[in-house]
């Protein structure tokens, strides 16, 4: 645990990528294989889960420190990090009792003997005994990292690509090869770590390829050159995924590197008919009545680990293919996109996949029966000139898609994000002026400032909550707003403050939907702050009727409540983690 703690703080102290890579290389070369497996999982963004309820952990720390619970909340509001807060309030005598033994407590032992035991311990008293025992064997800086492991909140400022570069140097392979190994790597044991670093490891049959990502276009599209050099696709409002058909097996992977075949058995069954040695890149969608539904609807299927026949019939899904990464067992990623697309078109024609067009609510379906195919082909958009591309983008929201993708026809399928090859040109966000109703203290470098805000709009003479947002303001604005929040606080609960409505912000968001889980009856999607409207008073803010007018009928399903909105930084903002960058 000492070695991993030292790594964590060394990474935390620098912002230079070269220094972080050097630190990682040193760690991976020296770490015991069992610890290395867990470290790679954590550092590369692997899934974490909470081992003990936060309320219990806070209460036990308060008792150990001999302070009331409310003081823990006050300290948390100032520190901005719960793991650090709890480590700081614990008395030194607790950590000093067995601090020397921490030298022999490796990361794997710590996770196996404490975190995993806590998850399996049904008895609260038993959980407390384990936690207090570990408190007595870890130094203060180690306790901070351990608390993050307990709460499932360990975040380190390194990317998966940076971790892959460091591992690639240790293993003596190139970074692209290591990235491919990481995508489907099993990291449960010392043998898994040694296998990952072996210089000559055959690829697994279920392994996907690293996803190639698009960059947001930051300049007029007509500056890209002749439109004939580019392929234009719709940017679908689904979940990025790969279908892998190898060795007689089918695997369905999301961009978050999660195997989800059991959640979409109808797609896996359809993909079983693909030629062996085929890998498709595309999008998971709910397709109902010949029309695609939005990501909010798709997330309901994602939450069903093993859907029933009825659930599949209610929310039928399809895989929409737009790239061919492997065929006949041959990696095609270095071929030009135009060549890969011709191969995909031939495959689709031979298999009889329909080409699926996004349609607006008032756009009549073709006279033929709505498609029920589970494998679909994404159309290419005609682009005789850049005005045609702009016109297609202008229709995107009406059609229920997010915009257009612009991809270089002679480009290879790269790894990660390579600027200049794939561009995403999303529709302009929806906007409304809203009133700040409450705020919560921030975390990390924002600790001590109230930077997470709750906003409302008018409805019948009262303000109703519509969204939480925390991104979009400068550091200077955050500091100024924090002073106003402190001066206008009317109610206080730990890090949360209710305020007198005085501030108006322009909120930007991707869409609006009916919701039975929100008091306002609507939910906005991916809200962020566009600007501070200093010239406006709360009376000038928008209304709930204004917000409802932005709801797109084409995107709604009867009796389809929106999922509960996720808190900041959690895995619940599924689109952000699974697909959004694609």
């Amino acid at each position: 645990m000492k070695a991993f703690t030292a790594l964590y703080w060394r990474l935390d102290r620098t912002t230079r990528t070269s220094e972080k890579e050097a630190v990682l290389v040193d760690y991976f070369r020296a770490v015991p294989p069992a610890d290395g497996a867990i470290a790679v999982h954590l550092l590369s963004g692997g899934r974490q889960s909470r081992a003990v309820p936060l309320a219990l952990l806070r209460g036990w720390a308060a008792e150990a420190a001999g302070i009331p619970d409310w003081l823990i909340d006050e300290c948390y509001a100032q520190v901005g990090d719960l793991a650090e807060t709890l480590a700081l309030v614990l008395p030194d005598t607790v950590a000093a009792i067995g601090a020397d033994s921490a030298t022999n407590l490796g990361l794997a032992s710590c996770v196996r003997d404490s975190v995993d035991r806590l998850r399996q311990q049904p008895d609260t008293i038993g959980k407390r005994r384990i936690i207090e025992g570990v408190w007595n064997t870890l130094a203060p800086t180690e306790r901070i990292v351990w608390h993050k492991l307990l709460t499932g909140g360990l975040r380190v400022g390194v990317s998966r690509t940076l971790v892959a570069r460091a591992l690639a140097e240790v293993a003596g392979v190139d970074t692209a090869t290591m990235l491919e190994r990481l995508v489907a790597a099993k990291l449960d044991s010392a043998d898994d770590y040694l296998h990952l670093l072996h210089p000559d490891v055959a690829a697994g049959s279920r392994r996907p390829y690293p996803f190639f990502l698009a960059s947001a276009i930051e300049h007029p599209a007509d500056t890209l050159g002749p439109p004939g050099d580019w392929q234009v696709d719709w940017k679908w409002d689904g979940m990025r995924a790969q279908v892998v058909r190898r060795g007689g097996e089918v695997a369905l992977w999301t961009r978050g590197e999660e195997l989800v075949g059991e959640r979409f058995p109808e797609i896996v069954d359809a993909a079983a008919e693909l030629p062996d040695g085929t890998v498709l890149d595309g999008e998971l969608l709910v397709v109902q009545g010949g029309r695609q539904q939005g990501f909010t609807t798709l997330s309901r299927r994602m939450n069903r680990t093993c859907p029933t026949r009825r659930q599949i019939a209610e929310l039928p899904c399809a895989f929409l293919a737009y790239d061919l990464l492997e065929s006949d067992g041959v990696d095609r990623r270095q071929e030009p996109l135009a060549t890969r697309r011709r191969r995909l078109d031939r495959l689709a024609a031979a298999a009889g996949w329909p080409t699926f067009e996004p349609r607006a609510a008032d756009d009549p379906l073709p006279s033929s029966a709505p498609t029920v195919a589970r494998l679909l082909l994404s159309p290419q958009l005609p682009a005789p000139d850049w005005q045609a591309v702009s016109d297609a983008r202008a229709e995107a929201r009406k059609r229920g898609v997010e915009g257009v993708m612009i991809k270089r026809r002679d480009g290879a399928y790269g790894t990660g994000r390579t600027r200049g090859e794939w561009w995403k040109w999303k529709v302009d966000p929806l906007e409304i002026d809203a009133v700040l109703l409450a705020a919560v203290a921030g975390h990390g470098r924002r600790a001590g400032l109230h930077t997470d805000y709750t906003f409302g709009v008018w409805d019948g003479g009262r303000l109703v909550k519509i969204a939480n947002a925390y991104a979009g303001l400068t550091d200077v604005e955050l500091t100024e707003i924090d002073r106003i929040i402190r001066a206008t606080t009317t109610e206080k609960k730990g890090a949360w403050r209710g305020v007198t409505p005085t501030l108006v912000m322009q909120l930007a968001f991707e869409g609006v939907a009916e919701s039975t889980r929100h008091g306002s009856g609507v939910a906005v999607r991916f809200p962020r702050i566009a600007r501070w409207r200093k010239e406006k008073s709360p009376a000038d803010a928008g209304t709930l009727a204004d917000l409802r007018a932005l709801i797109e009928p084409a995107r709604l399903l009867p009796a389809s409540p929106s999922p509960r909105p996720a808190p900041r930084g959690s895995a619940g903002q599924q689109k952000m983690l699974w697909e959004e960058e694609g």
Side-chain angles (χ1 to χ4, degrees), residues 45 80 91 143 177 238 308 328 331 346 362 426 458 471-472 475 501 519 552:
R143 288 201 315 251
T177 298
T308 63
D328 302 320
D331 183 350
R346 289 196 294 269
D362 56 357
K426 298 179 69 172
W458 293 103
D475 288 345
E552 292 286 339

Side-chain angles (χ1 to χ4, degrees), residues 297-560:
T297 305
L298 178 65
S299 66
R300 295 168 59 198
R301 276 295 302 272
M302 272 301 297
N303 293 331
R304 302 290 184 181
T305 303
C306 296
T308 63
R309 290 184 181 180
R310 177 178 178 180
Q311 290 165 345
I312 292 173
E314 290 175 346
L315 296 173
C317 291
F319 180 84
L320 187 76
Y322 46 63
D323 210 335
L324 179 68
L325 310 186
E326 182 180 317
S327 64
D328 302 320
V330 178
D331 183 350
R332 306 291 183 183
R333 291 177 298 159
Q334 295 307 307
E335 294 181 351
L337 172 62
T339 302
R340 302 197 308 272
R341 179 66 198 213
R342 286 194 293 270
R343 292 184 186 277
L344 178 61
D345 288 342
R346 289 196 294 269
L347 175 64
W353 304 350
T355 299
F356 187 76
E357 294 282 353
R359 300 182 182 278
D362 56 357
D363 186 9
L365 293 171
S367 56
S368 59
T371 178
V372 293
R374 303 308 189 190
L375 297 177
L376 305 171
L377 182 65
S378 178
Q380 297 181 63
L381 302 183
D385 51 49
W386 289 114
Q387 184 58 50
V389 179
S390 180
D391 291 344
R393 173 180 174 266
E395 292 185 7
R397 177 168 281 118
K398 179 181 178 182
R399 289 175 175 264
V401 293
E402 296 184 326
V404 295
M405 299 289 296
I406 305 172
K407 305 175 182 178
R408 194 180 296 278
R409 289 187 182 276
D410 62 0
Y413 189 96
T415 298
R417 196 183 313 279
T418 304
R419 292 183 64 82
E421 297 295 315
W422 283 16
W423 299 102
K424 54 183 178 182
W425 194 11
K426 298 179 69 172
V427 296
D428 293 330
L430 302 172
E431 295 178 336
I432 195 168
D433 289 335
V435 181
L436 193 149
L437 303 177
V440 177
H443 304 275
R445 70 180 185 87
R446 290 183 167 188
L449 295 176
H450 292 82
T451 57
D452 295 8
Y453 308 123
T454 299
F455 293 96
V457 294
W458 293 103
D459 180 36
R462 65 188 182 96
L463 288 166
V464 295
K465 174 186 171 181
I466 60 163
N468 294 319
Y470 55 88
L473 296 172
T474 67
D475 288 345
V476 173
E477 288 174 324
L478 291 173
T479 301
E480 185 177 353
I481 291 171
D482 180 74
R483 286 197 298 265
I484 296 173
I485 288 171
R486 293 177 186 275
T488 59
T489 296
T490 58
E491 187 178 1
K492 185 176 178 182
K493 295 179 182 177
W496 178 89
R497 291 175 182 251
V499 299
T500 302
T502 60
L503 302 176
V504 179
M505 305 286 170
Q506 186 179 62
L507 298 186
F509 42 92
E510 299 303 312
V512 192
E514 299 279 2
S515 171
T516 59
R517 296 177 180 263
H518 295 73
S520 63
V522 297
V524 299
R525 188 174 174 205
F526 302 146
R528 63 267 190 197
I529 302 167
R531 62 188 176 115
W532 183 359
R533 300 302 299 268
K534 292 185 177 183
E535 78 283 8
K536 289 196 172 186
S537 69
D540 300 322
T543 67
L544 191 58
D546 296 333
L547 198 59
R548 286 186 174 279
L550 300 175
I551 295 176
E552 292 286 339
R555 309 292 295 280
L556 298 180
L557 282 173
S560 297

